[in-house]
């Protein structure tokens, strides 16, 4: 891999050693969709309830039949922090970075950072749009800071 | 006040176990709480167990029950049921590894009490040992490197959520936002904990801490500073429980236990990190026949300052006051209505999971708290939480002799 390619694909924040296992059966639909620039989340195939990412049995109807589908990339900040501790070897940013828990319009909740470098976090209640960043071979949901709302 | 009636049922003509309606803590053993790597968890468990047995005035062959607890995740060597053999015990009638994260210690006491009062065992050792500190690595670094790259945790780590501090920072931001509490109240918790720790020789943080010192403490993950976070140690604590009235000279009775495991969903319209847990305290108090106002002290599980605030509120221990105001006005301090985490808690004392609050409660109820002793302490609430405040366990203890 050339240095130029490396520069284009290197994440602004983390070392590729933290890249998630994209072949992990439970999470693969999320990473596959992210690779296509889409956000996918799991639902109960029987009653359409939004399920947690690793939830096998629907707590609404008891069905064991979940289906991933593309969802709206908009959401609202549920909680946010700025992480000051930067673990050597794992975190490459030289300044504090945001970690945000986003409540998606689909009803799901997911933790992410920002797609572009940032040292601030949007406040609770802010509307955000989910984009993607690349870490190793994985595309990962991340807040598109160019679209952060008030 | 001592409740519970002894009901001896010794088999005629041969020695055998005595069944009682109660279980008492009669032995406490603690290692030094070390900020440096050294002994293994197994070696620490051996030290604590020997000290607890000596404290109870018995030997290994007087024990017929052993419950072991250890930390999940980052430890390559965990204490397990093989401790029965390696720790020098004889034949046992009860042997289990108890695991419910930070609620494990209270769960062990609950299990021991059940065994003793149902005659499954007569004298039970509960031991917890942990050795997270390794050579050449700070504890924060060790935690940051743990968690793996699969499942939700893998996704979170790939988003920069490394170690447990940022998770609790998110929880803190949400809790402060929802309750309208000021982040300044975190300072009040940390300063109060340090005040208590200064009277505890076993505490790892002794230096005085005021508000200026708190605000000078490095930020780890907003709003949590280093002073808002517990310091993991290598150490072990063991306790001996028995229903046998002839064992032990100092008795602390298990009066009530309770558990609550709220299953929260990370889904729109609901809180996913807090809410639920009060039932554990309600049930423990009801078993004990006590009210919250009867408690002389509370020893809560406080890995982060935000947790003390959230639990005082969740467990309804503040007589209706917002928990931040309760702490700020000194109610959890030495002259307060509910002295809380009187050894400095996990924040300034030492972080040995659920054994931190249990050990301090036993010390206080024995009247051996020295400079930090709460006068006439007779009843105590001990709490344990696991995960992201997902598992709650409560214990009510009372001085019995």
């Amino acid at each position: 891999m050339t240095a130029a390619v490396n520069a284009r694909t290197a994440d602004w924040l983390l070392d590729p050693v933290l890249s998630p296992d994209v072949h992990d059966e439970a999470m693969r639909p999320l990473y596959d969709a992210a690779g296509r620039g889409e956000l996918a989340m799991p639902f109960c195939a029987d009653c359409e309830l939004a399920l947690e990412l690793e939830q096998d049995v629907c707590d609404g109807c008891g069905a064991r039949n979940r289906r991933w589908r593309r969802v709206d990339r908009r959401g609202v900040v549920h909680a946010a922090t700025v992480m000051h501790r930067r673990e050597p070897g794992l975190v490459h940013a030289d300044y504090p970075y945001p970690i945000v828990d986003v409540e998606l319009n689909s009803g799901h909740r997911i933790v992410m950072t920002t797609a572009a470098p940032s040292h601030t976090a949007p406040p609770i209640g802010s509307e955000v749009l989910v984009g993607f960043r690349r870490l190793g071979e994985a595309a990962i949901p991340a807040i598109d800071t160019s679209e952060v709302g008030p | 006040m001592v409740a519970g009636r002894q009901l001896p049922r010794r088999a005629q003509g041969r020695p055998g176990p005595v069944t009682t309606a109660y279980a008492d803590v009669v032995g406490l053993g603690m290692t030094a709480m070390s900020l440096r790597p050294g002994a293994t968890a197994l070696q620490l468990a051996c030290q604590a167990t020997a000290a607890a047995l000596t404290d109870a005035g018995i030997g290994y062959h007087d024990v017929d029950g052993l419950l072991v607890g250890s930390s999940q995740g980052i430890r390559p060597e965990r204490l397990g049921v093989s401790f029965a053999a390696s720790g020098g015990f004889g034949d046992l009638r009860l042997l289990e590894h108890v695991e419910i994260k930070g609620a494990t210690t209270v769960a062990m006491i609950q299990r021991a009490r059940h065994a003793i009062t149902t005659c499954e065992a007569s004298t039970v050792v509960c031991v917890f040992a942990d050795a997270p500190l390794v050579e050449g690595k700070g504890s924060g670094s060790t935690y940051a490197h743990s968690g793996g790259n699969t499942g939700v945790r893998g996704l979170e780590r790939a988003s920069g959520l490394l170690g447990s501090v940022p998770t609790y920072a998110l929880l803190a931001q949400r809790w402060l936002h929802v309750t309208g509490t000021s982040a300044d109240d975190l300072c009040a918790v940390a300063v109060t904990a340090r005040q208590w720790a200064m009277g505890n020789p076993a505490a790892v943080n002794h230096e005085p801490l005021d508000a200026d010192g708190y605000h000078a403490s490095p930020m780890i993950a907003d709003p949590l500073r280093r002073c808002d976070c517990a310091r993991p140690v290598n150490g072990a604590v063991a306790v001996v429980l028995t229903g046998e009235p002839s064992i032990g000279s100092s008795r602390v009775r298990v009066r009530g236990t309770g558990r609550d495991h709220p299953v929260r969903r990370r889904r729109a319209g609901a809180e996913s990190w807090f809410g639920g847990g009060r039932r554990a305290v309600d049930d423990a108090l009801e078993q004990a026949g006590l009210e919250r106002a009867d408690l002389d002290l509370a020893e809560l599980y406080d890995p982060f300052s935000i947790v003390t605030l959230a639990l005082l509120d969740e467990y309804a221990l503040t007589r209706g006051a917002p928990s931040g105001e309760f702490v700020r006005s000194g109610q959890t301090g030495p002259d307060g209505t509910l002295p809380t985490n009187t050894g400095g808690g996990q924040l300034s004392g030492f972080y040995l999971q659920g054994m931190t609050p249990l050990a301090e409660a036993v010390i206080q109820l024995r009247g051996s708290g020295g400079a930090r002793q709460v006068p006439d302490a007779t009843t105590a609430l001990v709490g344990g939480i696991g995960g992201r405040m997902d598992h709650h366990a409560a214990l009510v203890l009372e001085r019995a002799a």
Side-chain angles (χ1 to χ4, degrees), chain B residues 191-355:
Chain B
V191 168
T192 305
R194 186 63 60 85
Q195 189 181 359
W196 281 116
M198 289 170 66
N200 179 7
V204 295
N205 286 325
H206 282 106
E207 321 76 48
L209 181 72
D210 59 12
D212 289 342
Y214 171 85
H215 288 292
S217 175
M219 187 69 81
I220 306 296
D222 198 17
L224 301 179
R225 298 177 180 276
R226 186 176 291 164
C227 285
D228 292 303
C229 307
R231 292 188 72 174
V233 296
N234 286 6
V237 172
V239 293
V240 180
L241 289 97
T242 189
E244 169 66 64
S246 63
I247 295 178
S249 55
S250 169
R251 313 183 76 82
V252 171
R253 187 148 300 168
V254 179
R255 290 289 310 279
T257 60
R259 300 271 288 275
D260 196 6
H261 304 276
V263 177
R264 307 187 201 98
R265 299 290 172 196
R266 283 178 53 71
R267 190 179 287 154
E271 296 300 334
S272 55
W273 293 313
F274 48 84
R278 184 175 305 185
R279 179 179 176 176
V281 175
D282 289 345
D283 288 353
L285 285 168
E286 184 179 348
Q287 269 186 27
L290 297 173
E291 305 283 340
R292 284 170 170 76
D294 297 322
L295 295 170
D296 294 322
L297 50 96
E299 307 295 348
L300 303 178
Y301 196 104
D302 62 333
F304 301 98
S305 55
I306 186 65
V307 177
T308 305
L309 291 179
L311 293 183
L312 285 168
D313 182 69
E314 177 60 44
Y315 296 165
L317 298 172
T318 64
R319 303 180 184 204
S323 57
E325 179 185 316
F326 191 73
V327 176
R328 235 183 310 116
S329 64
Q331 300 306 318
T332 58
D335 300 317
T337 54
L338 186 66
T340 299
N341 295 345
T342 53
Q346 297 169 335
L347 281 184
S348 277
F350 56 88
Y351 177 69
L352 200 65
Q353 300 202 13
M355 278 300 182

Side-chain angles (χ1 to χ4, degrees), chain A residues 22-103:
Chain A
V22 296
H23 305 295
D24 175 14
E25 192 179 340
M27 302 286 286
R28 186 169 182 168
L30 182 144
Y31 297 120
D32 285 348
R36 300 190 301 269
E38 297 175 350
L39 185 61
M41 288 286 141
F43 293 83
C44 173
D46 287 14
C47 75
E48 292 296 311
L49 189 64
L51 300 180
E52 297 189 70
L53 295 180
E54 291 181 297
Q55 185 175 351
D56 291 320
V57 179
C58 176
D59 55 300
C61 72
R64 290 182 298 170
N65 188 18
R66 70 176 191 165
R67 181 168 57 214
W68 290 76
R69 70 163 192 255
R70 192 172 66 177
V71 299
D72 186 353
R73 291 195 291 123
R74 288 172 300 172
V76 172
V77 174
H78 182 74
T81 184
V82 175
M83 182 71 174
H84 291 249
R85 186 182 189 286
R86 300 182 298 284
E87 175 64 22
L90 296 183
V91 179
H92 294 320
D94 54 5
Y95 42 79
Y97 61 93
I99 303 173
V100 185
D101 194 33
V102 175
E103 187 167 296

Side-chain angles (χ1 to χ4, degrees), chain B residues 23-395:
Chain B
D24 290 341
V25 178
V26 296
L28 170 67
M30 301 170 65
T31 64
M33 299 303 158
S34 176
L35 293 171
R36 286 189 293 275
T40 65
L42 174 61
Q43 291 168 330
L44 293 165
C46 290
Q47 289 174 33
T49 300
L53 292 173
T54 299
D55 186 45
I58 59 174
Y60 290 91
H61 288 275
D62 296 312
V63 174
D64 60 359
L66 174 63
L67 301 174
V68 298
S70 55
S71 196
Q72 279 191 316
I74 65 172
R75 280 47 138 184
E77 293 178 7
R78 295 176 63 184
L79 194 64
V81 293
S82 61
F83 185 59
S86 57
F89 292 87
D91 292 344
L92 300 169
R93 294 194 298 150
L94 171 68
L95 175 61
E96 290 174 11
H97 181 199
V98 180
E99 169 53 46
I100 182 66
K101 301 189 175 181
T104 293
T105 291
V106 174
M108 284 199 290
I109 302 301
Q110 193 174 15
R111 179 72 185 95
R113 180 207 200 195
H114 177 80
I116 290 166
T117 56
T118 58
C119 201
E120 292 172 359
S122 65
T123 299
V124 179
V125 167
C126 301
V127 58
F128 181 96
D130 200 9
L133 307 177
V134 295
E135 202 64 56
K137 223 174 190 183
S139 60
S141 183
T142 302
Y143 283 93
H145 280 269
S146 71
N149 66 346
T150 59
V152 174
R153 193 71 192 103
L155 176 63
E156 290 178 347
R157 296 186 76 235
S159 299
L161 199 82
L162 304 174
S164 57
V165 182
T167 296
Y168 272 87
L170 288 171
L171 183 157
Q173 295 288 26
R174 183 70 191 174
W175 192 87
L176 294 172
H177 174 81
V178 168
T179 61
T181 303
S182 165
D184 288 343
D185 293 337
L186 299 174
C187 171
V189 172
V191 168
T192 305
R194 186 63 60 85
Q195 189 181 359
W196 281 116
M198 289 170 66
N200 179 7
V204 295
N205 286 325
H206 282 106
E207 321 76 48
L209 181 72
D210 59 12
D212 289 342
Y214 171 85
H215 288 292
S217 175
M219 187 69 81
I220 306 296
D222 198 17
L224 301 179
R225 298 177 180 276
R226 186 176 291 164
C227 285
D228 292 303
C229 307
R231 292 188 72 174
V233 296
N234 286 6
V237 172
V239 293
V240 180
L241 289 97
T242 189
E244 169 66 64
S246 63
I247 295 178
S249 55
S250 169
R251 313 183 76 82
V252 171
R253 187 148 300 168
V254 179
R255 290 289 310 279
T257 60
R259 300 271 288 275
D260 196 6
H261 304 276
V263 177
R264 307 187 201 98
R265 299 290 172 196
R266 283 178 53 71
R267 190 179 287 154
E271 296 300 334
S272 55
W273 293 313
F274 48 84
R278 184 175 305 185
R279 179 179 176 176
V281 175
D282 289 345
D283 288 353
L285 285 168
E286 184 179 348
Q287 269 186 27
L290 297 173
E291 305 283 340
R292 284 170 170 76
D294 297 322
L295 295 170
D296 294 322
L297 50 96
E299 307 295 348
L300 303 178
Y301 196 104
D302 62 333
F304 301 98
S305 55
I306 186 65
V307 177
T308 305
L309 291 179
L311 293 183
L312 285 168
D313 182 69
E314 177 60 44
Y315 296 165
L317 298 172
T318 64
R319 303 180 184 204
S323 57
E325 179 185 316
F326 191 73
V327 176
R328 235 183 310 116
S329 64
Q331 300 306 318
T332 58
D335 300 317
T337 54
L338 186 66
T340 299
N341 295 345
T342 53
Q346 297 169 335
L347 281 184
S348 277
F350 56 88
Y351 177 69
L352 200 65
Q353 300 202 13
M355 278 300 182
T356 302
L358 176 68
E360 179 63 16
V362 172
I363 289 167
Q364 287 285 343
L365 296 179
R366 286 176 160 191
S368 51
R372 69 187 191 281
Q373 179 64 45
V374 175
D376 304 320
T378 305
T379 58
L381 172 69
V382 178
I385 59 156
R388 298 171 177 180
M389 292 210 288
D390 299 316
H391 310 291
H392 297 255
L395 174 66

